[in-house]
C-alpha cells in the first residue's frame, strides 16, 4: 500500500513542479487529484481495519456507541487534515486554520459522551 501511495505522490510532485512554471493552476489540480486518489485508496483499505476494530470492540462488551464516536472523530480528523492541506497548498492558510479549528471543536463536542462516561466511572471508583 505505501509503495503505491509513494509512487502516486512522487509522480504527482514531479509533474506539478514541471508544470508550475507553465501553468500554476494545472500544477495545483495535479496535486489535488493525487491527494484525492491517495485519500480514496486509504479509505478503501481502512474500511477493513475499521470492521476488525468494530468486531473487537463488540466482543469486549463495551457500548458500541463508543466505537461509533471514535470512528466519527477519526473521520473528522482525516477529512479536516485533507481539506486543510489542500487549502494550504492553494495558498489559503487562513482557511486551512479555520478548518482545523472547526474539526477540533467538532471532535470535542462529539466526544462529550465519552468524557461523561469517564467522569462517571471515576466518581464511582472514588466513592467505592
Amino acid at each position: 500500500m505505501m509503495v503505491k501511495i509513494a509512487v502516486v505522490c512522487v509522480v504527482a510532485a514531479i509533474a506539478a513542479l514541471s508544470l508550475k512554471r507553465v501553468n500554476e493552476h494545472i500544477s495545483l489540480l495535479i496535486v489535488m487529484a493525487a491527494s484525492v486518489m491517495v485519500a480514496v485508496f486509504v479509505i478503501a483499505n481502512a474500511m477493513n481495519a475499521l470492521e476488525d476494530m468494530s468486531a473487537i470492540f463488540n466482543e469486549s462488551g463495551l457500548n458500541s456507541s463508543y466505537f461509533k464516536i471514535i470512528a466519527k472523530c477519526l473521520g473528522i480528523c482525516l477529512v479536516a487534515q485533507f481539506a486543510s492541506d489542500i487549502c494550504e497548498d492553494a495558498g489559503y492558510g487562513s482557511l486551512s486554520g479555520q478548518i482545523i479549528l472547526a474539526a477540533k471543536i467538532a471532535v470535542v463536542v462529539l466526544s462529550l459522551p465519552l468524557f461523561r462516561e469517564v467522569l462517571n466511572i471515576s466518581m464511582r471508583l472514588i466513592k467505592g
Side-chain angles (χ1 to χ4, degrees), residues 4-125:
K4 291 178 183 179
I5 291 172
V7 168
V8 167
C9 290
V10 168
V11 168
I14 291 170
L17 285 173
S18 300
L19 293 172
K20 191 170 190 172
R21 296 175 201 215
V22 177
N23 190 335
E24 192 169 325
H25 298 294
I26 292 175
S27 176
L28 179 60
L29 288 175
I30 290 171
V31 171
M32 289 174 62
S35 297
V36 169
M37 287 173 52
V38 169
V40 168
F41 185 73
V42 168
I43 289 169
N45 285 309
M47 294 309 290
N48 292 334
L50 283 175
E51 289 171 5
D52 290 345
M53 289 172 52
S54 177
I56 292 169
F57 206 88
N58 289 333
E59 290 170 6
S60 71
L62 295 172
N63 190 339
S64 65
S65 65
Y66 298 152
F67 176 75
K68 290 177 185 175
I69 291 171
I70 293 168
K72 286 179 184 179
C73 287
L74 179 60
I76 289 170
C77 292
L78 293 174
V79 169
Q81 186 67 53
F82 176 75
S84 173
D85 288 346
I86 293 295
C87 288
E88 191 73 38
D89 287 346
Y92 297 103
S94 60
L95 285 177
S96 172
Q98 294 302 314
I99 291 169
I100 296 299
L101 177 63
K104 288 176 182 178
I105 292 170
V107 166
V108 168
V109 169
L110 187 62
S111 61
L112 285 176
L114 292 176
F115 292 133
R116 185 176 295 120
E117 183 64 24
V118 168
L119 182 62
N120 288 338
I121 292 170
S122 299
M123 293 306 291
R124 284 194 300 254
L125 287 173

